[in-house]
Structures are given as structure tokens and as C-alpha cells.
Amino acid sequence: VNNFFYPLAARSFKVGGARRLGRTLATAALVCSGGLGLFCLLLWSVGDPILGLLFDDKYTQLRGTLTLLGVFVWGGALSMTAGSGLACMFRPQLNLPADLIALGISWGLAWLFIPRYGETGGAAALAVGVTAGALVRGVILGLACCWGPASRVATGRPAIEG
């Protein structure tokens, strides 16, 4: 989905500035959320039989782990959408704080959860970490669109020259 929406986002920023870019990214986030939300629901509802068909019966009790990994993918897709918006505004360096937060939360929760909950704890740590990173990246994108130099750049030229 991001491969389809990234060129549209770049064109949106060039033609209509930050406001039009925001609308394009909102559409991309809705498409990602619709598809991956249904995917997570599918994993939660029939994950055990799917695991039983693909692997051995000893994995049929891991539906929760599989669903958490689906949430991890969903959060990553939303994070990529926001990151693409920052790149379109010529501000890719603003992705770093969200990446560091996602990494820190994932590592910290993995350290806490894996000894007690095993693979499900690891999946939960990844899901929470990447989702937190996506939220931070979305806030950074919103601030950059509304109050940053990109909000005053209607032509899509670089907000910071040099």
C-alpha cells in the first residue's frame, strides 16, 4: 500500500502543500488500517486452525501470539505511512525520535515480558513498541504539517535549503 501511496503523497505535497499531503496520508492510513485490521481479526478468529494447517498441532495454541504479530505489522505500516509523509516534506531526520522510542520500548518490554511469557511476551513487546513509535511519528508529522516550515511551503520546495 505504501508503494502506491508514496508517489501520491509526494505529488500531493508538491501541488498542495502540507494540507493536501495530510489528506493523502490520512487516506493511506485508513486503507492500511482497514486491510490490516481485518487481517488481525482473521488471525484472532481462525489463527489456531491456520497454524495447525501450516505447521504442527503443537502450535495451535498460539493464536494470541500470532494476533500480536499482526498488530506489530499494522503498527509498522502506519509508522511507514507517517514516515513517508516526513520524507515528502524533506524532513526525514524527524523519523529518528520515533525510531528511538519504538526501539527503547520494544527492548524494555522484551526484557520484562519474555522471561515470564515467552514468545507471546516477545510479540507483545514488539507490538507495543512499534505502535508507540507510530503514534510518536504521527504526532511529529502533525506538528511538522501544522506548525513547522512545511506548513508555510505551498509549492513543495524543500522547507530547509542546504
Side-chain angles (χ1 to χ4, degrees):
V1 173
N2 201 27
N3 289 337
F4 174 75
F5 276 105
Y6 186 80
L8 291 177
R11 188 175 310 115
S12 294
F13 184 66
K14 183 175 181 173
V15 172
R19 288 195 194 279
R20 187 155 173 197
L21 172 64
R23 286 193 299 270
T24 301
L25 293 175
T27 302
L30 286 173
V31 169
C32 281
S33 290
L36 289 171
L38 288 174
F39 177 67
C40 288
L41 185 63
L42 176 73
L43 292 176
W44 180 78
S45 60
V46 294
D48 286 342
I50 290 172
L51 287 170
L53 287 173
L54 294 176
F55 302 106
D56 198 3
D57 284 340
K58 68 180 180 177
Y59 296 108
T60 58
Q61 301 301 316
L62 295 174
R63 172 180 70 181
T65 304
L66 192 61
T67 303
L68 286 168
L69 291 173
V71 171
F72 165 73
V73 171
W74 187 1
L78 292 177
S79 190
M80 274 197 327
T81 301
S84 296
L86 290 170
C88 288
M89 293 189 308
F90 306 100
R91 303 297 302 270
Q93 70 275 17
L94 294 178
N95 283 305
L96 183 61
D99 290 333
L100 293 175
I101 288 170
L103 180 66
I105 290 174
S106 295
W107 276 1
L109 291 178
W111 184 74
L112 291 172
F113 290 172
I114 290 175
R116 184 170 183 161
Y117 304 108
E119 62 274 343
T120 302
L126 288 173
V128 172
V130 78
T131 302
L135 289 172
V136 170
R137 197 179 316 273
V139 168
I140 291 170
L141 175 65
L143 292 173
C145 281
C146 296
W147 292 290
S151 66
R152 295 181 291 279
V153 178
T155 62
R157 288 189 297 273
I160 297 176
E161 296 289 336

